[in-house]
């Protein structure tokens, strides 16, 4: 048994030891401390850095993917607008955005090394798209805009667009899966190293503080990355909602034009047969005029969805509102007071007057609805403001435009205002706080403003009213005065003979066109869909001078029926009928049709479309000499 007198504590042993032993003990203590504290702490920091780097990498990836998608949409829109309008500024915008797309793709390649297959698909599709779009610019500059539009609507172009989008989707899913796996490993490493640190440094409070700080930083970085990811997802979802709205509005406008066709056409036919002093003539004229106004509304819907005309010109915003003042006064509640602040020294903006008028009307009527049955004030103001980056970034839009001078339109009301939940959804296409059947107005405004490269600021609090401020970029375009109205030239009577084939799935439209053609002297055959139309043409092709073909039909549509008719007789004269605009139809069919009439059309419009195609003949079938 050991002698108790020889037992010593570690402290006493250290004090009695010589310098060499003390040095060795200190070295051992340092090594133990390093093993149980510094090394676990260093491992914790290393895993944390790896996790934070993954979060940053994921955030950068989301930003790059979002930027690639957005710039691609800008390039596509610029190319199509250049093809439609021939305006070189759209090509300039395209040239400005193209290197940004290449830079974004380069950055994504560097960020996601190892996924070269997906990037090869993206790069190949992008090269094909750029080549086709450059070809479209060449055609547009050469005045061959129809060919440019056809190129940008071709199957090859759409196939490359799909390949580009599929490559982006595959790339994103692969990289996100890899990042998630690496993050899981990093998080497991953090937990293990943290346990060792706590066990080895239970008495070191400062070590605990350091761990807490590290964890707080990691969670903050992770929260910021999650918040940014949600913001990007919300942007993509909103873009999809607007696209759905465009499809819905285009379908409604097309079907509505089909319904207006028998209303306007039959009204015109009855008016032509009524004596001038008939008591019913005024009623029919009001019916015809109301139908014409409805046709104008569907034209605005088609323009918004991209299947109609967009007439860009220099516009003085104050004068536009002044001209609308009488109509605005009639559109608001009788208890609402309209106040105007419309300075005359505004810079012009570039846009479509009819669409901008729709923005003003929708904002004012929306403000009137906000007042309800209470008295209140609706202030309509215009002016110029110098917008900075912070002001533009807080606006409603997909990408903040550049800083600079902007012309603004402001509509403020003293109504009930909006709570936070309503403000977050106010521009959703199908969200409404009004009665059933409403709720598209602000979504349409958002789409039109975005098409004009503008942004929307919304300020509202419950019980304190609402203010919409729309910023439009200033333009150097000159403001053209409206052309004075001209009387429509008289349409001379025209008569012919021969055969005509009408193919339309709407019975009312088909019967109406048959009556019109019969008045011109045609012997008319009718078919209710593409299959019947092609069969009738195959049997009677030798006595059919002209085919009137509807574009949208169930089963075999107009496009397929047109191809079959051209195979039977390549030189057959075909007049296409559609509720869509002529520019939209021309971009798809180019020289495949002889003429086009947009529904709803009158007998005079149909006559003018047929006159160049079928010679005028007398009752015996002999051509009349001019």
């Amino acid at each position: 048994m050991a002698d108790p007198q020889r037992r010593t504590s570690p402290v006493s042993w250290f004090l009695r030891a010589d310098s060499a032993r003390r040095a060795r003990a200190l070295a051992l203590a340092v090594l133990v401390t390093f093993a149980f504290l510094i090394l676990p702490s260093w491992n914790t920091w290393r895993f944390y850095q790896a996790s934070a780097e993954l979060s940053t990498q994921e955030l950068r990836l989301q930003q790059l993917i979002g930027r690639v998608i957005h710039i691609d949409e800008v390039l596509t829109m610029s190319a199509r607008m250049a093809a439609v309008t021939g305006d070189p500024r759209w090509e300039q915008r395209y040239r400005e955005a193209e290197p940004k797309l290449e830079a974004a793709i380069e950055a994504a390649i560097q960020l996601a090394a190892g996924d070269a297959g997906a990037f090869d698909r993206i790069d190949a599709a992008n090269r094909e798209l750029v080549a086709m779009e450059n070809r479209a610019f060449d055609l547009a500059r050469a005045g061959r805009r129809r060919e440019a539009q056809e190129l940008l609507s071709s199957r090859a172009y759409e196939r490359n667009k799909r390949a580009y989008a599929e490559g982006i989707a595959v790339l994103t899913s692969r990289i996100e899966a890899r990042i998630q796996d690496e993050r899981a490993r990093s998080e497991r490493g953090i937990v293990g190293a943290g346990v060792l640190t706590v066990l080895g440094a239970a008495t070191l409070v400062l070590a605990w503080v350091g761990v807490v700080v590290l964890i707080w930083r990691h969670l903050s970085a992770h929260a910021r990355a999650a918040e940014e990811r949600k913001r990007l997802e919300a942007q993509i979802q909103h873009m999809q909602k607007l696209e759905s709205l465009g499809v819905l509005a285009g379908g409604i406008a097309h079907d509505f034009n089909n319904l207006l066709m028998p209303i306007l056409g039959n009204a015109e036919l009855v008016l032509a047969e009524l004596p001038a002093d008939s008591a019913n003539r005024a009623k029919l004229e009001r019916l015809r005029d109301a139908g014409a106004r409805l046709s104008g509304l569907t034209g605005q819907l088609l323009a918004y969805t991209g299947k109609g005309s967009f007439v860009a010109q220099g516009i003085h915003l104050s004068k536009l509102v002044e001209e609308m003042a009488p109509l605005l006064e009639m559109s608001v509640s009788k208890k609402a007071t309209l106040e105007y602040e419309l300075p005359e020294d505004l810079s012009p903006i570039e846009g479509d007057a009819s669409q901008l008028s729709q923005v003003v009307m929708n904002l004012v009527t929306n403000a009137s609805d906000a007042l309800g049955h209470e008295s209140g004030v609706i202030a309509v103001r215009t002016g110029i403001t110098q917008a900075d980056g912070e002001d533009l970034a807080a606006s409603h839009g997909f990408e903040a435009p550049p800083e600079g001078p902007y012309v603004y339109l402001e509509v403020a009301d003293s109504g009930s205002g909006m709570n936070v939940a309503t403000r977050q959804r106010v521009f959703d296409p199908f969200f409404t706080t009004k009665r059933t059947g409403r709720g598209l107005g602000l979504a349409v405004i958002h789409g039109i403003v975005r098409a004009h490269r503008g942004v929307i600021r919304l300020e509202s609090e419950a019980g304190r009213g609402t203010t919409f401020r729309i910023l439009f970029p200033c333009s150097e375009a000159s403001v053209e005065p409206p052309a004075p109205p001209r009387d429509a030239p008289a349409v001379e009577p025209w008569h012919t003979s021969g055969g005509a084939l009408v193919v339309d799935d709407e019975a009312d439209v088909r019967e109406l066109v048959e009556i019109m053609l019969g008045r011109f002297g045609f012997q008319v055959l009718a078919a209710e869909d593409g299959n019947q139309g092609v069969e009738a043409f195959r049997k009677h092709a030798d006595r059919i001078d002209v085919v009137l073909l509807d574009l949208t039909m169930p089963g075999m549509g107009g496009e397929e029926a047109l191809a079959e008719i051209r195979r039977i007789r390549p030189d057959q004269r075909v007049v296409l009928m559609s509720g869509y605009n002529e520019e939209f139809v021309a971009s798809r069919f180019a020289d495949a049709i002889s003429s086009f009439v947009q529904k709803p059309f009158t007998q005079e419009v149909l006559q003018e479309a047929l006159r160049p195609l079928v010679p005028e003949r007398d009752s015996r079938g002999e051509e009349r000499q001019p």
Side-chain angles (χ1 to χ4, degrees):
M1 186 173 181
D3 186 359
Q5 298 295 327
R6 297 186 60 88
R7 294 178 182 174
T8 58
S9 66
V11 175
S12 60
W13 177 88
F14 181 79
L15 292 175
R16 291 196 303 267
D18 57 19
S19 300
R21 290 184 176 181
R22 288 180 182 178
R24 285 195 296 270
L26 287 173
L28 180 61
V30 170
L31 290 175
V32 171
T33 302
F34 182 81
F36 288 93
L37 176 62
I38 298 177
L39 282 179
S41 299
W42 180 80
N43 282 332
T44 302
W45 174 257
R46 181 170 58 87
F47 284 120
Y48 159 74
Q49 289 283 58
S51 179
E53 183 179 350
L54 286 173
S55 297
T56 303
Q57 185 177 0
E58 184 177 12
L59 175 60
R60 290 181 57 198
L61 173 66
Q62 294 287 350
Q63 291 174 334
L64 284 171
I65 295 300
R67 183 168 178 80
V68 167
I69 293 173
H70 171 72
I71 297 176
D72 177 65
E73 292 296 329
V74 171
L75 291 175
T76 301
M77 182 191 71
S78 300
R80 287 178 172 168
M81 289 301 296
V84 171
T85 64
D87 191 338
R89 285 174 292 184
W90 287 106
E91 182 176 356
Q92 181 181 358
R93 187 180 183 192
Y94 180 96
R95 300 304 179 196
E96 293 172 354
E98 184 180 0
K100 297 179 182 178
L101 179 62
E102 294 177 356
I105 294 177
E106 285 281 339
I109 292 174
Q110 295 177 3
L111 182 63
D115 292 290
F119 273 110
D120 289 341
R121 295 174 59 187
I122 297 171
D123 188 56
N126 186 52
R127 287 198 302 269
E128 292 291 331
L129 290 171
V130 170
M132 298 179 78
E133 287 161 351
N134 284 328
R135 174 58 180 163
F137 286 133
D138 294 338
L139 293 171
R141 285 195 300 270
R144 299 159 64 186
R145 285 185 285 176
R146 177 175 293 180
E147 296 179 26
Q149 295 169 15
E150 180 183 8
L151 178 62
L152 297 179
S153 301
S154 64
R155 292 183 177 177
Y157 186 82
E158 294 299 329
R159 183 173 60 252
N160 284 313
K161 289 287 289 183
R162 287 193 298 271
Y164 183 87
E166 291 170 359
I168 292 292
V170 170
L171 173 68
T172 303
S173 62
R174 288 178 179 174
I175 297 177
E176 286 181 347
R178 177 172 59 81
I179 289 176
Q180 292 298 330
D181 291 341
E182 293 179 1
R183 177 182 285 109
R185 288 194 296 270
S186 296
E187 290 174 350
R188 289 193 297 269
I190 290 175
V191 173
V195 170
L196 290 177
T197 301
V198 172
L199 293 177
T203 60
L204 300 178
V205 177
L206 292 178
W208 281 95
V209 173
V211 171
V212 170
V213 170
L214 291 177
I215 293 175
W216 178 79
R217 289 180 179 177
H218 172 72
L219 293 177
S220 297
H222 184 74
R224 288 193 298 270
E227 183 178 353
E228 181 64 19
R229 183 166 56 251
K230 289 180 180 179
R231 188 184 68 83
L232 292 172
E233 290 174 353
Q235 284 187 349
I236 295 173
Q237 290 173 358
H238 190 64
M239 187 182 300
Q240 291 172 342
K241 287 180 181 178
L242 290 178
E243 182 180 356
S244 299
L245 174 62
V247 173
L248 173 64
I252 290 174
H254 175 270
D255 292 345
F256 205 67
N257 278 337
N258 271 328
L259 295 174
L260 283 174
M261 177 70 192
I263 296 174
L264 289 176
N266 283 298
E268 288 284 350
L269 293 179
V270 176
L271 280 171
E273 296 174 354
L274 281 179
D277 58 350
S278 173
N280 293 321
R281 190 171 189 85
K283 299 176 182 177
L284 282 172
E285 288 175 345
R286 286 196 295 271
L287 175 64
R288 178 196 59 191
D289 295 341
R293 287 195 296 272
L294 287 175
S295 179
L297 290 176
T298 59
Q300 291 184 14
L301 277 177
L302 289 174
Y304 166 69
T305 61
K307 298 180 176 66
S309 57
F310 185 93
V311 182
Q313 60 183 3
I315 296 173
H316 193 289
L317 193 56
S318 291
K319 292 182 179 178
L320 177 70
V321 177
E322 286 178 358
E323 293 171 356
M324 294 183 63
L327 182 58
L328 296 177
E329 296 284 350
M330 293 186 295
S331 302
V332 300
S333 168
K334 294 182 179 179
K335 293 187 177 182
T337 301
L338 277 169
E339 296 180 354
Y340 299 96
E341 294 181 17
L342 308 173
E344 297 182 357
D345 56 343
L346 291 184
S347 298
I349 62 175
E350 185 176 7
D352 185 285
S354 64
Q355 293 194 11
L356 293 177
S357 298
Q358 184 178 352
V359 169
V360 177
M361 176 61 70
N362 283 8
L363 285 178
V364 171
T365 54
N366 193 70
S368 177
D369 289 341
L371 296 177
H373 299 291
E374 302 295 330
S375 298
V377 176
I378 301 173
V380 183
R381 308 181 185 97
T382 59
I384 295 181
T385 184
Q386 188 73 22
D388 57 20
E390 182 179 354
D391 188 55
L392 294 169
S395 303
H396 292 269
F398 290 124
E399 183 179 9
E403 299 180 0
Y406 283 79
V407 175
Y408 68 81
L409 167 69
E410 185 175 280
V411 177
D413 65 74
S414 58
S416 57
M418 307 179 193
N419 56 29
V420 176
T422 302
R423 289 200 305 271
Q424 291 176 345
R425 299 189 60 194
V426 69
F427 292 106
D428 286 359
F430 306 108
F431 174 75
T432 178
T433 59
K434 305 172 186 177
R435 61 184 181 272
T436 303
R438 306 290 292 275
L440 292 178
L442 289 177
V444 171
I445 288 175
H446 190 274
I448 294 175
V449 171
R450 184 165 50 89
H452 286 74
R453 294 175 296 165
V455 294
I456 304 177
R457 291 296 305 271
L458 168 61
E459 297 178 2
S460 182
E461 293 183 16
R464 302 185 62 179
T466 301
T467 299
F468 286 93
R469 172 176 277 206
I470 302 178
L471 304 180
F472 296 104
C474 296
S475 172
E476 297 180 358
S478 59
V479 179
E480 298 292 337
R486 296 181 299 177
D487 295 334
V491 179
E492 296 181 0
W494 177 77
H495 190 276
T496 186
S497 62
L501 173 62
V502 180
V503 186
D504 198 303
D505 61 309
E506 293 287 342
D508 292 337
V509 176
R510 190 170 60 249
E511 293 172 4
L512 178 63
V513 176
E514 287 184 59
I515 295 173
M516 292 179 179
L517 293 173
R519 291 189 172 189
F520 297 149
F522 283 105
Q523 298 294 321
V524 185
L525 296 175
E528 62 183 22
D529 57 38
N531 289 312
Q532 291 186 12
V534 171
E535 186 62 28
F537 183 79
R538 183 177 287 110
K539 292 180 179 179
H540 308 285
D542 57 338
R543 60 188 185 90
I544 294 177
D545 293 290
V546 64
V547 177
L548 286 89
L549 181 63
D550 185 32
L551 175 59
T552 306
M553 294 180 290
M556 180 185 287
E559 187 171 0
E560 294 85 355
L562 176 62
E564 290 295 327
I565 291 173
R566 289 294 186 202
R567 273 194 284 270
I568 297 171
R569 180 188 288 178
D571 61 345
Q572 176 61 45
R573 292 180 287 267
V574 179
V575 178
L576 200 62
M577 305 181 296
S578 176
Y580 290 128
N581 168 276
E582 183 175 4
E583 294 177 2
F584 170 71
V585 173
S587 67
R588 294 179 58 184
F589 295 97
D591 298 328
I593 58 175
S594 306
S595 187
F596 170 79
V597 287
Q598 182 180 4
K599 298 177 182 178
F601 54 84
T602 62
Q603 182 171 305
E604 288 75 12
V605 172
L606 181 59
Q607 174 179 313
E608 290 305 305
L610 294 174
R611 187 189 292 269
L613 306 180
V614 182
E616 189 171 8
R617 303 186 182 101
D618 57 23
S619 58
R620 294 175 297 177
E622 297 180 358
E623 294 188 16
R624 294 180 179 177
Q625 298 299 323

